[in-house]
Amino acid sequence: MDNFKQLNDTHGHLIGDKALLTLVSKLKEHLRRDDLIGRFGGDEFIIILRGCTQYETCVRMHESISHISVPLNDCSLAFALSMGVAFSPDDGITSEGLLEAADKRLYQAKSEGKGRIRCID
């Protein structure tokens, strides 16, 4: 979640928590029953999509980052997501290898701007 610390600092941790819950809810709308999502760190999540082609995975993730907003009293607070995506077996077969590839791509996406997804190097 881009600028999550700034969101917490500006609007408080209760709004930050609400943003995280809204994010997970929105992401689940694009996931299948057998897909997995989990929080990995403060503003980072891991999503495991089984049996998807690389193209399908990137499309699903790109759909997920569109127009995420958190209701805030009489308005809503919009935020963007940057994503790094890794594929098994191309990027690795161990969780460590896949996390390393996804993390590298996440930093590439963030360096390109907010709300980006990076599926290849």
Side-chain angles (χ1 to χ4, degrees), residues 80-98:
L81 304 175
S82 294
M83 295 187 180
V85 181
F87 303 95
S88 179
D90 297 345
D91 295 317
I93 56 171
T94 65
S95 57
E96 292 84 6
L98 292 168

Side-chain angles (χ1 to χ4, degrees), residues 65-86:
I65 65 173
S66 301
H67 304 92
I68 305 287
S69 62
V70 179
L72 180 63
N73 299 327
D74 295 334
C75 61
S76 64
L77 185 64
F79 56 92
L81 304 175
S82 294
M83 295 187 180
V85 181

